[in-house]
Amino acid sequence: MKFLYFILILAFSNKSLASCPKNPAEWCLNIEQAKSCNTVKQCWDNVWSVKNNDQIDFGGLVNFTLYYETLCPDCKNFMSSQILEAFLTVKDIMNLTLVPYGNAKATWRNETKLWQFECQHGSDECWGNLLHTCVIYNKPKTEDHLPFILCMEGNNVDDIQTSAKKCGLKYNVSIDEMEKCMFSRLGNGLQHEMAVDTDNLNPPHKYVPWITLNGEHTEDIQNQAENDLVALICKTYQGPKKPEACNKIQRRCLKF
């Protein structure tokens, strides 16, 4: 397949390029760093104001991470069926993390001081991946970003930008505001973080959707998730009380 390139070209002052570190993890280390990277508001909203929550005990929630790309048919199907059902029935016992990157590739362009992304399904998919990344960043709570993302992934009729606008109106996500993140140094760096998370998988991912359960990936776990994610989450959860949906799982025809 011939890949299309999605290039973000931005103009920054020489001072910003020199003082803002390439690693997004360093942008919120202090107020001076945040100012040089133009990320003060994002640091206040998503890092500094929530530091006191770092020690919260999640009570043994099941950590489920989905690595995907926005225009992959199998990803769209998995999210519209298994992820949606799990969110509606067992969200109280799971920690759901979405990583929108998939089979893309990242290249550092020294002339622009930005990452260039190459996506399996072309530039529209790169746009979609970046949009989802910025929505997750600006709306970090799962219940705030997941409905919008599932809405987009469930739309198999419209092009991706039309889908985004329709779902944005439905779930109060301003695409204009998200594009301020997308076409900025911040968005470029955030997308690279998704790339790093994906490329650091062990074992390395071979396809998408690719899932990890409590940090582990096996073909058996993958198959169980694809067949019945709710059952997998219920079986894995070791907390004191399971949701009602876990009691309704029946794997055999009982004798009458």
Side-chain angles (χ1 to χ4, degrees):
M1 174 181 283
K2 186 176 181 180
F3 293 108
L4 299 175
Y5 287 92
F6 182 73
I7 305 175
L8 300 177
I9 301 177
L10 302 164
F12 296 99
S13 68
N14 292 333
K15 181 178 180 181
S16 294
L17 292 177
S19 59
C20 183
K22 186 165 64 175
N23 183 0
E26 299 177 6
W27 294 350
C28 297
L29 291 179
N30 52 57
I31 188 67
E32 290 77 21
Q33 201 83 289
K35 286 181 177 178
S36 71
C37 299
N38 196 29
T39 59
V40 174
K41 183 180 185 303
Q42 291 86 351
C43 291
W44 272 119
D45 292 345
N46 299 289
V47 180
W48 300 329
S49 64
V50 298
K51 279 186 176 179
N52 291 334
N53 293 330
D54 289 347
Q55 303 303 317
I56 290 177
D57 181 4
F58 289 108
L61 292 187
V62 178
N63 292 311
F64 186 87
T65 304
L66 172 65
Y67 298 82
Y68 73 101
E69 55 194 21
T70 50
L71 291 182
C72 164
D74 291 335
C75 297
K76 291 167 72 71
N77 179 62
F78 181 74
M79 296 178 78
S80 299
S81 56
Q82 300 297 338
I83 293 291
L84 175 59
E85 181 67 17
F87 179 69
L88 293 176
T89 58
V90 295
K91 64 179 180 179
D92 292 336
I93 62 170
M94 67 185 295
N95 239 347
L96 175 63
T97 301
L98 301 180
V99 183
Y101 184 74
N103 298 322
K105 297 179 181 178
T107 303
W108 175 251
R109 306 300 299 187
N110 198 51
E111 65 272 24
T112 61
K113 309 299 183 188
L114 294 166
W115 293 96
Q116 172 181 301
F117 301 103
E118 174 187 342
C119 295
Q120 185 169 15
H121 299 95
S123 58
D124 280 350
E125 182 167 77
C126 281
W127 187 90
N129 291 349
L130 187 53
L131 172 61
H132 286 195
T133 294
C134 283
V135 170
I136 292 168
Y137 178 78
N138 283 282
K139 295 178 177 288
K141 292 183 179 179
T142 304
E143 58 266 30
D144 291 338
H145 64 248
L146 187 62
F148 169 80
I149 289 174
L150 290 181
C151 175
M152 281 190 63
E153 291 302 291
N155 187 333
N156 295 311
V157 177
D158 297 310
D159 64 82
I160 195 165
Q161 296 196 26
T162 300
S163 173
K165 290 178 181 177
K166 287 183 176 180
C167 294
L169 290 173
K170 186 174 183 180
Y171 291 106
N172 194 31
V173 175
S174 169
I175 305 305
D176 289 341
E177 286 300 312
M178 290 304 115
E179 285 188 333
K180 293 178 183 178
C181 164
M182 293 167 65
F183 302 113
S184 70
R185 178 180 292 278
L186 171 65
N188 189 259
L190 291 172
Q191 186 65 82
H192 183 248
E193 283 189 341
M194 298 297 188
V196 171
D197 287 347
T198 304
D199 292 341
N200 285 344
L201 281 166
N202 185 19
H205 86 284
K206 299 177 182 178
Y207 49 79
V208 287
W210 183 271
I211 65 98
T212 63
L213 184 73
N214 289 333
E216 180 182 8
H217 174 91
T218 67
E219 285 302 302
D220 180 56
I221 290 174
Q222 181 81 28
N223 291 334
Q224 288 187 62
E226 292 180 351
N227 291 329
D228 192 339
L229 178 56
V230 171
L232 176 62
I233 297 299
C234 289
K235 180 178 71 173
T236 306
Y237 179 64
Q238 300 299 312
K241 185 178 180 180
K242 294 186 178 183
E244 185 62 27
C246 294
N247 300 324
K248 297 180 180 179
I249 296 170
Q250 183 173 306
R251 299 180 178 83
R252 298 179 179 85
C253 294
L254 301 178
K255 183 179 180 180
F256 64 93

